[in-house]
Amino acid sequence: MHVFLTGKPGVGKTTLVKHLLDTIPAGSVSGFYTEEVRGEGGRIGFDVVSVTDPSSRSKLARVGAPGRHKVGKYTVCKDGFEIHALPLLSTPSRVVVIDEIGKMELFSDSFKRKVGDVLNRPGTLVIATVPVQPIPFVNQLKSREDVVLFTITKENRDEVKGVVGDKIQYILSNL
């Protein structure tokens, strides 16, 4: 069984993931979360951050970076993302965090394959964030029988935090 979190940008999906990490026993989790990077004048990009070592990070996307993969004003740093993120998903652990499975990350076919591998790994709980907007690959993942999808809103995020945490503890106790 796997737990997916969805919701509009800015509702607190990554914040919830970070909270959930505090409830999972050390040494039993791997993966990454994304974090916005701010500069003078606002957001300039996103980094991929290791859940086990927050000092281990790499660029996911930047405003004005060279490259052909673009989402809005951001250029995706696909090679750096693959070099950093894919090994984080390969580490054997009971819980794998993937924040996020979104447009930027999906420029990488290797990432898509790795997500499938992790979801099919026996004895592994995947906690992932996914966008609300329809993306065929993400829609396939959301429709899997072994995925429980929680929609996060600003109105329900505090209540959902406890529900999701309880669901994760239940799944872990039955792995």
Side-chain angles (χ1 to χ4, degrees), residues 22 27 43-44 50 62 78 108 125 134-135 139-140 169:
D22 292 337
R43 183 178 357 171
I44 60 168
S50 166
R62 289 292 188 274
K78 183 181 143 213
S108 169
L125 161 64
I135 299 172
N139 292 348
Q140 290 175 354
Q169 294 309 313

Side-chain angles (χ1 to χ4, degrees), residues 77-155:
C77 307
K78 183 181 143 213
D79 293 341
F81 167 72
E82 290 179 338
I83 289 168
H84 188 73
L86 296 183
L88 297 174
L89 301 180
S90 299
T91 304
S93 60
R94 290 183 70 208
V95 180
V96 177
V97 173
I98 309 173
D99 172 35
E100 122 173 299
I101 305 171
K103 286 182 182 178
M104 291 182 185
E105 297 83 0
L106 292 176
F107 281 114
S108 169
D109 290 333
S110 298
F111 174 72
K112 291 181 196 176
R113 283 189 298 277
K114 184 60 71 178
V115 167
D117 292 347
V118 173
L119 286 168
N120 292 321
R121 189 184 300 158
T124 301
L125 161 64
V126 173
I127 301 170
T129 62
V130 293
V132 172
Q133 71 267 28
I135 299 172
F137 180 79
V138 174
N139 292 348
Q140 290 175 354
L141 299 178
K142 288 195 282 191
S143 68
R144 288 174 56 122
E145 289 184 13
D146 61 349
V147 168
V148 179
L149 181 67
F150 291 92
T151 300
I152 313 299
T153 66
K154 288 186 178 183
E155 294 76 30

Side-chain angles (χ1 to χ4, degrees), residues 11-84:
V11 298
K13 296 181 300 290
T14 299
T15 300
L16 177 54
V17 166
K18 290 179 180 180
H19 167 77
L20 295 170
L21 286 170
D22 292 337
T23 69
I24 299 168
S28 62
V29 65
S30 62
F32 68 87
Y33 58 87
T34 55
E35 196 166 79
E36 76 174 24
V37 178
R38 300 194 68 81
E40 288 186 35
R43 183 178 357 171
I44 60 168
F46 299 90
D47 279 355
V48 172
V49 182
S50 166
V51 298
T52 57
D53 178 8
S55 69
S56 176
R57 59 177 52 230
S58 69
K59 294 178 186 176
L60 171 60
R62 289 292 188 274
V63 172
R68 61 186 177 109
H69 302 294
K70 300 210 180 269
V71 176
K73 65 182 179 180
Y74 303 101
T75 303
V76 177
C77 307
K78 183 181 143 213
D79 293 341
F81 167 72
E82 290 179 338
I83 289 168
H84 188 73

